[in-house]
Amino acid sequence: MGGGATYEHEFGAIGTGYARVNYGYKDRQAFLDNNLGYTSNYVSLDGSVGLTVGDRWTVSVYGKNLSNHRNATVGIFLPASFGGPFQVLEKGRVIGASIRFKIQ
C-alpha cells in the first residue's frame, strides 16, 4: 500500500520547481515456505525537491528512506550449526543531490 504526491510551481523565466513525496507500507510476511521466518513490517518515506531551468538543466535534492527504518528484505533459514537465520537489511537513510543536463 502506498501513495505519492507531486507539486509543481512556475517561477517565470527561471523555470519550474517541484516537490515530491512518496510513502509506502508493507506488512510483515513469511519469507520461507514453512513460515518459520518473517520479515518485519516496512515503512518507506522518500522525497525530493528540484528546479528545472529551461529545457536542459535540472537540479534536485532527494532523500530515500527518510524514516531510517532498517528492514530485513531477504531471509534464509540456516541450521544453528551454520549460525541460524540470515537476513539482508536494506540501506538506511540516503540524502543526495543531482544535476542533470540534457543534450539535444
Side-chain angles (χ1 to χ4, degrees), residues 44-95:
S44 172
L45 181 62
D46 302 336
S48 64
V49 293
L51 178 66
T52 300
V53 180
D55 292 336
R56 294 186 174 200
W57 291 92
T58 301
V59 178
S60 65
V61 177
Y62 62 88
K64 296 185 178 191
N65 191 10
L66 291 171
S67 61
N68 202 28
H69 181 80
R70 293 290 189 86
N71 183 50
T73 58
V74 177
I76 301 170
F77 190 75
L78 298 172
S81 59
F82 290 106
F86 171 77
Q87 293 183 320
V88 177
L89 295 176
E90 288 187 345
K91 287 183 182 180
R93 182 181 300 124
V94 175
I95 304 290

Side-chain angles (χ1 to χ4, degrees), residues 26-32 35 37-41 72-73 87:
K26 189 175 187 180
D27 204 2
R28 80 179 199 132
Q29 63 184 16
F31 63 82
L32 297 172
N35 294 333
Y38 286 87
T39 62
S40 60
N41 63 338
T73 58
Q87 293 183 320

Side-chain angles (χ1 to χ4, degrees), residues 4-44:
T6 300
Y7 173 77
E8 292 186 358
H9 182 76
E10 293 287 332
F11 290 104
I14 297 173
T16 304
Y18 67 88
R20 292 187 181 122
V21 64
N22 293 309
Y23 170 82
Y25 175 81
K26 189 175 187 180
D27 204 2
R28 80 179 199 132
Q29 63 184 16
F31 63 82
L32 297 172
D33 290 340
N34 59 9
N35 294 333
L36 290 178
Y38 286 87
T39 62
S40 60
N41 63 338
Y42 174 78
V43 174
S44 172

